[in-house]
């Protein structure tokens, strides 16, 4: 009898169940099922929705998840049930969050980075150094309709007067204003005040204490606060989603944010990699783009929601592979913002869709750059920091063809150097992240075997050459039997080289003196081995920033030619 | 792309849930007939708060606070009441700016909650209360025509539902715009921002359109 584990990811549009089975000591995906997410309405609707999903999983795998009447029950009492269950959630409105800290650099900025992995929307920031008088501070706290308060700031044992005043105000806010949803409070500041904050605010289980996020002046460790943030997130979501408490109780699982779940795996990939590069994940959903990046032993993420306005429409039109009149473009974009989950019907719609995705990816990366200045992204120069692999996930990435997914990602990210682009087609990253703490072997074995699709290896050529000038020569070795192939790459060109369907293809990169292909020095080349991938090896010599014609028709044609080069 | 899904049903039971964003008192009972604008539930909140740091503002030693405080936590105060007083060559006084209550007295800081702000949930339609949502509001039931749209500005309006018989493209109809004041009008014409502004000037209670042109996104 195999050992099972189940992951449920309650997404914005779909709820996915991923069942993993361990046979002969090796974990593998057993079955995947999904249903439309239903979190609105009463608790019975949510429960029935989860029951439908679990019954699908039961039918496909040899596992028990429901009782004899097909209803949700305590999993511990079921014979043949999974040993453990992970539950992640990205559905629901972002958590309205207030950040209270002693200074911008040492408290507020680290708190922003902390909450960004927990599906939070920062609606209020109270910087206690701004000397806001106590009445004005209280007024701001009262009127912001906050669901989660995160208090940080101060070195352990340091000055405490202003922080004490803020804690007192928070006590008033918590007790004086009745709330349908009880707000949660996370305290991660000066540890000398932790007990004071707990006894003063008297918020019971709604108060979550953590170690100081600021470990030493100028350095932060958000992981010290994750446990408290997870507890606060779970308590909020259980209050907000009728029926969730029952599901959590029956499955003996904890609810964690989907982005946090994915971040666990991204962090693991970065730590287990020996190439010295970071790891980047982009989850493109119809109404948001999540970016999670791990580099230099730290992890940051952001979930960016696209705001449609005149400037965004104008910028997105610049990425369209079809010439579309502004009114039609805007009509499609507005309709899409009302119904994020519809599918484009015509080629023109598809080009608008891809243009919007390019812009959404850029905006999301820029949002992460604002959150952490070390990320290395510039909207025109692209991502200058080295990330490998880049993992593309989310329902949007799964709907398009491989070369289209790659093209929109490339134009959004504008990577530098050499990188591998993977696709999380079955959306297993989040599923494995929620199960990783229960059995760390599971993600390791599943990722080794089958989790991701290799989309492409991208080599970006950075050269100060004029368009049309040769910047790189490539020699392709497909084995002893096949003749060596040679390719010349010119500035402004996007070139695709097909890889062997199985096994390794070897390429010798011979850049011109001034060309940088990510080998460490300009002019330095060498052999690289690439595994089989859906699109192949993509040589991007288009330059940074991308040089696009000003004329609309010519620009659309250029973009179309690039897309055509990658696969039509 | 256009959305083709519009659901229209006549003589349908229509249920409208009306609830406060935070707990309060429900003022109606099941079976009660309500009219548009009737209050179904209300919550009373302080209108404003005032925080006063007695120790620092009046220069009072924290251990002698009790001597100078004239009010206790939870006590009601009237406008002008002395909350704290430090006698001396120049007497320093902290008075209540409005009627209210002392809600906190800690660490030498006194907090007053002043005034009253009522948050009300009012009936957007006339009907019968069919269900009470304890502490929050009620569900109103009525029989009517249900038109399910794809987007709205979230406001409520009432008035007779009237089709607008006006051809915007016909120059001969200029100056003959029908009286639509107080009515909810429906038109199948394409409404540009100029036409939209012209409609608004005629003060209809509501406008129902088959589609919105993107340029209208800036109109409120």
């Amino acid at each position: 009898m195999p050992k099972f584990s189940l992951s449920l990811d309650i997404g914005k549009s779909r709820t996915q169940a991923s069942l993993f089975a361990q046979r002969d000591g090796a974990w593998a995906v057993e079955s995947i099922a999904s249903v439309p997410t239903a979190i609105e309405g009463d608790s019975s609707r949510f429960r029935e929705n989860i029951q439908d999903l679990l019954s699908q999983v039961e039918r496909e795998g040899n596992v028990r998840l429901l009782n004899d009447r097909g209803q949700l029950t305590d999993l511990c009492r079921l014979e043949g049930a999974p040993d453990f269950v992970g539950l992640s959630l990205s559905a629901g409105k972002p958590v309205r969050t207030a950040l209270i800290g002693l200074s911008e650099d040492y408290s507020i900025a680290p708190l922003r980075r902390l909450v960004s992995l927990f599906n939070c929307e920062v609606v209020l920031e109270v910087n206690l150094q701004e000397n806001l008088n106590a009445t004005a501070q209280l007024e701001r706290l009262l009127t912001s309709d906050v669901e989660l308060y995160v208090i940080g700031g101060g070195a352990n044992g340091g000055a405490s007067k202003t922080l004490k005043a803020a804690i007192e105000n928070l006590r008033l806010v918590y007790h004086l204003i009745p709330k349908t949803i009880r707000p949660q409070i996370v305290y991660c500041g000066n540890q000398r005040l932790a007990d004071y904050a707990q006894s003063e605010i008297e918020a019971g289980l709604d108060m979550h204490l953590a170690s100081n996020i600021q470990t030493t002046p100028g350095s932060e460790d958000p992981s010290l606060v994750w446990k408290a943030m997870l507890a606060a997130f779970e308590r909020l979501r259980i209050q907000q989603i009728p029926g969730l408490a029952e599901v959590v109780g029956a499955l003996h699982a904890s609810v964690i944010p989907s982005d946090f779940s994915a971040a666990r795996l991204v962090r693991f990939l970065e730590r287990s990699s020996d190439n010295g590069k970071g790891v980047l994940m982009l989850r493109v959903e119809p109404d948001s783009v999540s970016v999670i990046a791990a580099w230099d032993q730290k992890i940051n993420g952001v979930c960016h929601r696209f705001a449609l306005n005149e400037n965004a429409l104008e910028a997105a039109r610049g990425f369209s592979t079809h010439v579309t009149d502004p009114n039609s473009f805007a009509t499609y974009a507005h309709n899409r913002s009302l119904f994020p989950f519809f599918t484009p019907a015509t080629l023109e719609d598809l080009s608008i869709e891809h243009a919007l995705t390019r812009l959404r990816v850029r905006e999301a990366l820029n949002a992460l750059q604002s959150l952490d200045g070390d990320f290395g992204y510039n909207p025109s120069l692209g991502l200058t920091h080295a990330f490998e692999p880049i993992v593309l996930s989310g329902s949007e990435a799964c709907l398009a063809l491989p070369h289209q997914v790659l093209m929109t990602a490339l134009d959004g990210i504008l990577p530098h150097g050499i990188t591998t682009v993977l696709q999380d087609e079955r959306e297993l990253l989040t599923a494995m992240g929620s199960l990783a703490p229960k059995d760390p072997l599971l993600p390791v074995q599943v990722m080794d075997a089958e989790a991701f699709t290799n989309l492409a290896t991208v080599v970006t050529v950075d050269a100060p050459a004029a368009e049309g000038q040769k910047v790189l020569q490539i020699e392709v070795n497909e084995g002893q039997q096949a003749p060596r192939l040679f390719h010349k790459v010119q500035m402004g060109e996007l070139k695709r080289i097909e890889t062997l369907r199985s096994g390794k293809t070897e390429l010798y990169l011979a850049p011109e003196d001034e060309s940088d292909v990510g080998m460490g020095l300009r002019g330095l080349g060498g052999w690289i081995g690439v595994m089989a991938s859906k699109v192949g090896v993509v040589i991007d010599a288009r330059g940074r920033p991308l040089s696009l014609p000003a004329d609309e028709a010519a620009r659309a044609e250029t973009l179309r030619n690039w897309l055509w080069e990658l696969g039509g | 792309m256009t959305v083709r899904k519009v659901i229209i049903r006549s003589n349908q039971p229509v249920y409208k849930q009306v609830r406060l964003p935070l707990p309060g008192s429900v003022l109606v009972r099941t079976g009660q007939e309500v009219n548009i604008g009737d209050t179904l539930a209300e919550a009373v909140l302080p209108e404003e708060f005032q925080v006063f740091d007695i120790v620092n503002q009046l220069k009072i030693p924290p251990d002698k606070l009790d001597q100078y405080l004239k009010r206790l936590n939870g006590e009601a105060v009237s406008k002008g009441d002395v909350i704290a007083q430090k006698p001396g060559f120049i007497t320093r006084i902290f008075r209540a700016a409005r009627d209210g209550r002392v809600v906190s007295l800690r660490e030498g800081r006194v907090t007053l909650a002043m005034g009253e702000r009522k948050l009300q949930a009012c009936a957007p339609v006339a009907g019968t209360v069919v269900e009470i949502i304890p502490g929050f509001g009620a569900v109103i039931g009525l029989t009517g025509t249900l038109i399910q749209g794809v987007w709205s500005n979230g406001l409520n309006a009432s008035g007779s539902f009237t089709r607008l018989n006006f051809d915007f493209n016909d120059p001969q109809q200029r100056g003959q715009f029908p009286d639509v004041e107080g009515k909810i009008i429906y038109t199948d014409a394409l409404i540009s921002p100029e036409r939209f502004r012209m409609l608004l000037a005629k003060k209809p209670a509501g406008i129902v359109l088959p589609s919105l042109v993107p340029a209208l996104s800036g109109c409120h």
Side-chain angles (χ1 to χ4, degrees):
Chain A
M1 184 74 177
K3 183 178 172 182
F4 289 106
S5 70
L6 176 75
S7 164
L8 286 185
D9 180 36
I10 305 170
K12 293 180 178 91
S13 60
R14 297 197 74 79
T15 300
Q16 177 170 307
S18 311
L19 182 71
F20 299 87
Q22 191 184 37
R23 290 188 176 87
D24 303 325
W27 283 102
V29 179
E30 182 78 358
S31 68
I32 293 174
S34 71
V35 292
T37 294
I39 57 163
E40 308 288 342
D42 60 10
S43 57
S44 60
R45 188 157 174 249
F46 180 76
R47 191 184 58 238
E48 283 162 15
N49 188 252
I50 298 294
Q51 280 171 186
D52 284 351
L53 179 62
L54 297 184
S55 69
Q56 273 190 48
V57 179
E58 268 193 342
R59 281 197 296 273
E60 289 173 28
N62 185 24
V63 66
R64 288 285 310 280
L65 298 167
L66 301 167
N67 66 16
D68 295 338
R69 286 171 294 162
Q71 288 176 334
L72 208 58
T73 187
D74 188 341
L75 271 196
C76 290
R77 294 182 188 171
L78 278 182
E79 191 82 16
D83 287 31
F84 46 90
V85 179
L87 185 51
S88 54
L89 187 139
S90 58
K93 288 180 184 165
V95 176
R96 292 176 62 84
T97 305
L99 306 179
I100 302 166
L102 271 176
S103 67
E104 166 61 30
D105 291 345
Y106 295 137
S107 328
I108 303 279
L111 292 184
R112 259 186 234 127
R113 289 188 278 273
L114 167 73
V115 303
S116 63
L117 283 176
F118 291 84
N119 197 10
C120 292
E121 179 190 7
V122 177
V123 293
L124 176 67
E125 290 183 351
V126 180
N127 182 345
L128 299 175
Q129 271 184 354
E130 282 176 355
N131 291 324
L132 205 62
N133 74 52
T135 305
Q137 188 190 98
L138 182 59
E139 194 65 34
R140 286 178 68 185
L141 287 170
L142 282 167
T143 51
S144 300
D145 193 16
V146 172
E147 294 166 332
L148 172 66
Y149 296 90
V150 187
I151 317 165
N156 291 342
S160 59
K161 193 180 159 197
T162 49
L163 210 51
K164 270 187 168 179
I167 289 168
E168 160 66 7
N169 271 346
L170 212 50
R171 186 185 74 83
L172 292 169
V173 174
Y174 184 82
H175 291 285
L176 288 180
I177 304 296
K179 295 259 188 187
T180 318
I181 307 292
R182 286 192 311 282
Q184 303 296 301
I185 301 161
V186 171
Y187 182 85
C188 55
N190 181 350
Q191 291 300 287
R192 187 195 275 176
L193 288 183
D195 290 339
Y196 172 81
Q198 188 165 33
S199 61
E200 186 71 5
I201 298 173
E202 292 180 298
L205 294 174
D206 297 334
M207 180 83 190
H208 310 272
L209 295 181
S211 300
N212 198 338
I213 190 169
Q214 190 183 315
T215 47
T216 53
S219 63
E220 67 195 61
D221 185 356
S223 66
L224 298 173
V225 197
W226 284 349
K227 193 177 168 191
M229 284 293 294
L230 287 173
F233 177 84
E234 182 174 59
R235 280 182 69 79
L236 270 177
R237 289 310 194 209
I238 281 178
Q239 289 180 74
Q240 290 167 336
I241 302 175
L244 181 60
E246 197 185 336
V247 171
V248 166
L251 301 180
H252 295 275
S254 300
V255 186
I256 64 171
S258 299
D259 279 351
F260 180 82
S261 181
R264 272 184 183 154
L265 263 283
V266 172
R267 192 163 81 135
F268 165 76
L269 282 171
E270 193 253 345
R271 293 198 169 178
S272 56
S273 157
D274 56 2
N275 63 11
K277 297 179 183 178
V279 174
L280 178 73
M281 189 213 79
L282 278 175
R283 185 183 12 234
V284 187
E285 296 290 351
D287 59 349
S288 66
V289 176
S290 293
V291 182
I292 295 166
W295 75 98
D296 298 341
Q297 301 284 307
K298 64 176 180 178
I299 182 140
N300 276 307
V302 70
C303 181
H304 180 74
R305 286 158 198 90
F306 183 59
L308 193 60
N309 53 41
E310 286 299 313
N311 292 339
L313 284 170
E314 193 52 41
R317 276 191 71 227
F319 293 125
S320 179
T321 51
H322 278 66
V323 179
T324 314
D325 73 275
N327 204 36
S328 302
F329 196 98
T331 302
Y332 179 90
H334 281 286
N335 269 319
R336 192 191 180 285
S337 68
L338 278 175
F339 302 97
F341 301 102
F342 71 51
T343 309
T346 64
L347 281 176
E348 193 180 5
D349 286 354
L350 191 68
S351 76
I352 299 172
E353 187 72 37
H354 288 166
L356 286 167
T357 305
R358 284 173 169 92
L359 185 69
R360 289 166 59 212
V361 168
R362 284 188 177 203
E363 286 195 355
L365 291 164
N366 210 27
L368 187 56
Q369 174 65 30
S370 309
L371 208 59
D372 190 327
D374 296 337
F375 177 47
Y377 182 74
N378 177 305
S380 58
L381 296 178
L383 192 57
T384 50
H385 197 104
F387 286 92
E388 186 175 19
I390 294 172
V391 185
L392 306 177
S393 183
S395 56
E396 288 277 285
C398 298
L399 286 174
L401 293 168
H403 68 282
Q404 294 169 339
V405 176
L406 182 71
M407 193 74 230
T408 47
L410 269 189
D411 287 351
I413 301 168
L414 299 176
H416 286 248
I418 302 170
T419 190
T420 310
V421 183
L422 305 177
Q423 193 176 359
D424 178 22
E425 280 184 297
R426 295 189 287 170
E427 310 214 26
L428 290 173
L429 198 74
T430 309
M432 292 188 292
S434 67
L435 296 171
K438 310 277 173 51
D439 188 343
L441 259 185
L442 186 149
V444 177
Q445 292 176 339
V446 175
M447 271 195 291
D448 266 356
E450 54 183 340
F452 304 126
T453 307
N454 194 356
L455 205 55
T457 298
V458 179
V459 179
T460 306
V461 188
D462 178 20
E467 191 154 331
Q469 206 177 324
K470 184 184 155 192
V471 288
L472 174 70
Q473 179 145 335
I474 301 165
E475 181 184 339
V476 183
N477 176 13
E478 293 183 339
Q480 298 292 337
Q481 278 75 38
R484 299 265 171 127
L485 301 170
F486 293 89
H487 299 272
K488 191 173 80 176
V489 181
Q490 295 171 334
M491 194 64 198
E493 204 177 0
L494 187 73
K495 197 179 223 15
R496 180 171 79 105
I497 298 167
E498 284 187 35
T499 49
L500 292 170
R501 288 195 178 170
S502 61
K504 203 182 236 184
T505 306
E506 291 193 318
L507 287 90
Y508 185 78
L509 304 177
E512 296 294 298
D513 289 349
E514 290 300 307
S515 300
D516 184 351
V517 289
M519 292 283 196
L521 278 175
R522 286 192 181 274
L524 185 64
W527 285 99
I528 57 167
V530 295
M531 301 305 292
S533 59
K534 279 198 167 174
V535 180
V537 178
V538 175
I539 312 294
D540 185 352
R542 298 177 297 170
R544 302 286 186 264
L546 286 185
S547 170
L548 285 163
D551 175 66
E552 201 179 341
R555 186 173 62 229
E557 192 185 349
T558 303
L559 287 164
R560 215 167 36 242
N561 287 342
W562 286 338
L563 184 62
W564 188 257
E565 175 63 32
L566 292 197
Chain B
M1 207 206 104
T2 52
V3 176
R4 296 180 183 280
K5 183 183 171 189
V6 178
I7 298 169
I8 304 175
R9 291 192 197 113
S10 297
N11 289 323
Q12 286 289 309
V14 179
Y15 299 105
K16 181 84 182 163
Q17 191 187 80
V18 185
R19 59 180 294 157
L20 289 166
L22 44 87
S25 314
V26 179
L27 308 176
V28 291
R29 56 188 161 66
T30 310
Q32 185 177 332
E33 299 290 326
V34 290
N35 287 315
I36 295 170
D38 285 358
T39 306
L40 306 183
E42 69 178 22
V44 181
L45 299 170
E47 195 175 349
E48 60 176 327
F49 290 87
Q50 187 180 4
V51 184
F52 192 79
D53 188 342
I54 296 170
V55 170
N56 288 310
Q57 300 282 332
L58 299 188
K59 307 290 180 205
I60 291 173
D63 55 331
K64 293 184 178 168
L65 203 60
D66 291 350
Q67 292 176 28
Y68 303 110
L69 268 173
K70 305 298 176 193
R71 296 288 174 155
L72 297 174
N73 195 11
E75 240 182 287
V77 295
S78 301
K79 183 181 175 182
D81 281 358
V82 176
I83 310 296
Q85 182 175 16
K86 185 189 178 191
F89 182 64
I90 300 170
T91 304
R92 302 179 79 172
I93 295 173
F94 168 50
R95 292 179 188 276
R98 297 176 61 183
D99 292 354
R101 193 165 52 94
V102 180
V103 290
S104 169
L105 226 164
R106 294 200 181 196
E107 302 274 327
R109 297 193 326 154
V110 61
T111 307
L112 303 180
M114 299 177 298
E116 229 178 46
R117 178 167 57 102
K118 276 186 183 163
L119 208 61
Q120 294 182 321
C122 298
V125 288
T128 309
V129 176
V130 294
E131 188 187 334
I132 297 290
I133 309 164
F136 287 95
V139 179
I140 302 171
L142 67 148
T143 303
T145 300
L146 182 72
I147 304 174
Q148 186 178 326
V150 293
W151 179 87
S152 88
N153 60 2
L155 301 177
N156 294 303
S158 64
S160 63
F161 191 54
T162 313
R163 185 189 168 89
L164 179 66
N165 282 314
F166 183 78
D167 186 350
F168 286 93
N169 297 319
D170 184 356
Q172 290 187 340
Q173 288 195 29
R174 248 176 229 162
Q176 296 171 22
F177 199 84
D179 177 26
V180 295
E181 190 169 338
K183 295 175 182 172
I184 295 175
I185 52 169
Y186 165 74
T187 173
D188 50 11
L190 191 66
I191 300 297
S192 62
E194 298 85 66
R195 289 175 180 178
F196 188 68
R197 277 188 277 275
M198 183 184 146
L199 281 177
L200 285 184
K202 302 291 178 186
K203 297 182 179 167
I207 304 170
V208 178
L209 300 173
S211 68
L212 289 173
V213 296
L216 278 176
S217 60
C219 298
H220 299 288

